[in-house]
Amino acid sequence: MSVWLWIVLAFVGMGVLAWVGRRVGQMATSNAPRFRDMPYGVAFGYVFAAACILGGIWLWFLPGAVFFRWAVQGFVLFAIAAFVFRLVFRHVGTAATKRLFRAMPLTAAFGILVIIIYAVLAIFAGAIAPYGQSEILGAANVVPGGDPAMGGNPLYPLGTDQIGRDILSRLIYGAQNTVGIAFVTTLIAFFLGGSLGFLAATVGGWLDQLLSRAVDVLMAIPSLIFSLLLMTIASVWADGEKALLTVYMILIIAVIDSTRVFRLARAVGTGIVVMDYIEAARLRGEGMGWIVFREILPNAMAPLLAEFGLRFCFVFLTIASLSFLGVGIQPPLADWGTMVRDLGPFINFAAFAPLVATAPLMAAGAIALLTVAVNFVVDWMLQKSSGLKE
Amino acid sequence: MSTVLRIILQRLALGLLTLVIVSIVIFAAVNSLPGDFAQAILGQAATPEAVAAIRTQIGLDDPPVTRYMLWLYGAVQGDLGISFAQANFTTFTGSSNNVTVADQIAPRFANTMFLAGVTAAIAVPLAVTLGILAALYRNSVFDRAANIFTLSSISSPEFFVAYVLILFLAVLNPILPSLSNIYADMAMGARLKATLLPALTLTLVVTAHMMRMTRAAIINLLASPYIEMARLKGISPLRVILRHALPNALAPIINVIALNLAYLITGVVVVEVVFVYPGIGQLFVDSVKIRDIPVVQACCLIFAAAYILLNLTADILSILSNPRLRHPK
């Protein structure tokens, strides 16, 4: 309980310090506008920020705080990388991309950089990874870091897992499997939800009612719960066939997620259907396929693209969660959710062997990094398209 | 007032209808399984006579509509059937001490509610306060840092947040236990301590979203003329937000809180598994793995019911707090 007492005391202390600091500032500068008009909250903010920076410096030099140092180093490294990336593309490329990068916030640059790295890893996983994804090598439980004195091995820079598979290779193949499967699933969900949504918007009437009510019912069940229920059934159907189960998982998540796409596509579609050019196309005698794919789709592209990014994140997180729970992507394939579950217990060694505990965090961090990156990019795109300047 | 009552009754009826249809969907999904429950209980080596005996015992020979009605009738009365994992051949052929699904779920349901309650008690005041602060100091360093932090914690998977918290609060600095060992007659303090780490994980995930919405709801209002007027009168920015903007932003904020509590229901599954918290989510995942169909069915129904209920509450509250919805044209 003493910890909480310290936290409360620290906040009270900062509060007093903020008031005293502002007062001293007012007296020392004989009421300069900067101090005279400073709200208390701002003064507290300065004190709080100073405390955070001091605390950070103190933690940095604390011998035990290895993870904090790694986190700060990683953060600074990524920030520098994103800055350099943005700087380079401000001067390289076509006029349009140069203009795009000139007005880009650092977070969006970071997001694009991370997405490119993941895409390269996923596409060329076979060439980049030093070993196969399910290849069982000589030694199990090799410590990451590659230092023989600490129980590492330079052949396996990130160590090996409990049954001796190279963690670095599995992380790289994980990009291919987890990201690839999530991408395919999102594509199917968009194809399904998008075409049905546009169809409902164009045809209207009973078809629209039928589809909309069906979607309402499916959306009334929380998606992770529903996919777990359906995965139980699929696992009986698949009857031990692991590859088949993965295919079922893709279909199940695609169908569940297509309901959200359907909603958006229908809403955007009904707005477009009443336009004059649709009327003109109908009078020309165009078929339903032409109207949906050649008239409505191009005009609904912008909102659908932003939605694609968000949907991808949701699908990706759902698949990772399912795999983490043990019913998602199946064992011979390397994937991040399963890796977190398998390597999770290692985190208990963090106090005396920090390197050992990094393995599950790296797999979970790989998932988090990609979703954060995609969200940063989508956030920036939405901000740009809505023209929010506040 | 009568129109309001009518609208609310309409919504309630609609919610009930949705729940019934959802239960049909769940029942239909489970009943589309190849083979049947009797085979599943007895395993591969069962004799045809034994399978037939159990089929008649649990009424698998009835047509699906009858079985659905019986299941729904039982479920309404709290009888959710018998768990496969706890059942074996003898329990079906005479002995009376069957472990029902309801017996299994009831204590765990209370645990999950406790976890959700603790989370809500921490998350809601925190999110609203932070949201108001972010709106007050918008576009400052604080706002931008909060934006990056919330966006990151929304998009991280729950188990990543959970492991990071375990790393810092349980392993490196042993303040809280990393496994939630909860048993029936536990002292309140110990119980709270064991629940705190999962609750903090859920708080981090949920707070981010609520805070962003609170900020957006308040900032939306700050452009309106009456806020301009209040500002021109010379009221302090905090007072403008608390007295003038917040009451009008309350509707979307309440809505977002209810929706996030509904989101908690999904988040609770993963978090309970990470912390081995004996709640309904963990039971659900375990049952999914061993294909204990009656338990899966019952948990799914409970989750769906809670989800629908919270969404309904959000819907009704937003109608009540908005005069334009209260008196539709």
Side-chain angles (χ1 to χ4, degrees), chain B residues 210-291:
Chain B
M210 283 199 276
M211 175 193 156
R212 282 171 80 89
M213 293 313 246
T214 309
R215 176 183 177 275
I218 292 179
I219 283 183
N220 251 344
L221 283 175
L222 288 183
S224 42
Y226 73 92
I227 297 289
E228 189 95 49
M229 182 66 215
R231 215 178 271 149
L232 289 176
K233 282 193 297 191
I235 304 177
S236 78
L238 187 65
R239 210 175 142 78
V240 168
I241 285 184
L242 287 185
R243 284 295 299 276
H244 297 264
L246 195 58
N248 283 306
L250 221 48
I253 292 174
I254 290 174
N255 208 346
V256 121
I257 288 173
L259 288 181
N260 270 286
L261 293 185
Y263 172 79
L264 260 181
I265 294 169
T266 329
V268 105
V269 175
V270 174
V271 171
E272 278 180 8
V273 169
V274 174
F275 291 100
V276 204
Y277 186 89
I280 196 168
Q282 207 209 358
L283 177 72
F284 183 53
V285 172
D286 286 347
S287 311
V288 164
K289 275 188 204 153
I290 57 172
R291 298 180 201 165

Side-chain angles (χ1 to χ4, degrees), chain B residues 42-43 52 69 80 92 119-120 132 190 196 222 243 324:
Chain B
L42 295 174
M69 287 301 174
L80 292 160
F92 277 100
T119 307
I132 291 174
L196 206 52
L222 288 183
R243 284 295 299 276
R324 262 172 297 192

Side-chain angles (χ1 to χ4, degrees), chain A residues 54-79:
Chain A
L54 282 179
I57 292 171
W58 174 70
L59 263 179
W60 176 273
F61 289 109
L62 203 70
V66 196
F67 286 98
F68 178 76
R69 242 168 289 162
W70 284 341
V72 172
Q73 281 163 357
F75 185 78
V76 171
L77 211 68
F78 268 114

Side-chain angles (χ1 to χ4, degrees), chain A residues 3-4 39-42 64 67-68 75 107 216-226 228-237 239-240 260 313-314 317 320-321 324-327 336-337 340-341 344-345 347-351 357 360-361 364-365 367-368 371-372 375-376 379 389-390, chain B residues 18 21-22 25-26 29-34 137-139 143 147-148 151-160 163-164 166-168 171-172 175-176 178 196 200 212 215 219 237 262-263 265-267 269-270 273-274 284-285 287-289 291-293 296-297 299-300 303-304 307-308 311:
Chain A
V3 180
W4 306 108
Y40 178 73
V42 174
F67 286 98
F68 178 76
F75 185 78
T107 47
D216 282 348
V217 169
L218 288 184
M219 281 179 78
I221 309 174
S223 60
L224 186 68
I225 306 294
F226 199 32
L228 272 170
L229 171 77
L230 293 183
M231 281 308 288
T232 322
I233 294 160
S235 71
V236 178
W237 272 355
D239 199 25
R260 275 79 178 166
C313 282
F314 275 103
L317 284 180
S321 300
F324 176 75
L325 297 175
V327 288
W336 293 331
V340 178
R341 184 182 46 142
I347 205 146
N348 293 317
F349 303 121
L361 288 178
I367 298 170
T371 40
V372 170
N375 261 322
F376 277 158
D379 202 44
K389 290 287 183 285
E390 284 171 8
Chain B
T18 317
I21 296 175
V22 163
V25 168
I26 293 172
V30 168
N31 275 273
S32 66
L33 284 175
Y137 300 112
R138 60 195 169 283
N139 298 331
D143 185 29
N147 184 34
I148 291 179
L151 204 55
S152 314
S153 72
I154 290 176
S155 40
S156 313
E158 286 96 354
F159 50 82
F160 178 64
Y163 276 123
V164 169
I166 289 182
L167 177 66
F168 284 109
V171 177
L172 293 180
I175 305 172
L176 297 166
S178 67
L196 206 52
L200 278 180
R212 282 171 80 89
R215 176 183 177 275
I219 283 183
Y263 172 79
I265 294 169
T266 329
V269 175
V270 174
V273 169
V274 174
F284 183 53
V285 172
S287 311
V288 164
K289 275 188 204 153
R291 298 180 201 165
D292 192 345
I293 305 283
V296 170
Q297 213 171 352
C299 290
C300 210
F303 278 126
Y307 193 70
I308 291 171
N311 275 311

Side-chain angles (χ1 to χ4, degrees), chain A residues 4-19:
Chain A
W4 306 108
L5 196 69
W6 276 113
I7 292 175
V8 170
L9 275 181
F11 268 91
V12 171
M14 279 190 286
V16 172
L17 204 64
W19 191 84

Side-chain angles (χ1 to χ4, degrees), chain A residues 149-235:
Chain A
M150 301 282 286
N153 187 336
L155 282 177
Y156 319 121
L158 293 184
T160 57
D161 63 6
Q162 290 102 322
I163 59 170
R165 294 172 297 191
D166 183 43
I167 291 179
L168 177 64
S169 307
R170 284 177 69 74
L171 276 178
I172 294 171
Y173 272 105
Q176 193 172 48
N177 296 330
T178 321
V179 179
I181 288 177
F183 192 70
V184 170
T185 311
T186 320
L187 278 183
I188 298 176
F190 260 76
F191 180 71
L192 210 65
S195 45
L196 284 180
F198 289 145
L199 198 67
T202 337
V203 178
W206 63 270
L207 185 73
D208 184 20
Q209 283 297 321
L210 188 75
L211 286 173
S212 299
R213 292 298 83 76
V215 162
D216 282 348
V217 169
L218 288 184
M219 281 179 78
I221 309 174
S223 60
L224 186 68
I225 306 294
F226 199 32
S227 43
L228 272 170
L229 171 77
L230 293 183
M231 281 308 288
T232 322
I233 294 160
S235 71

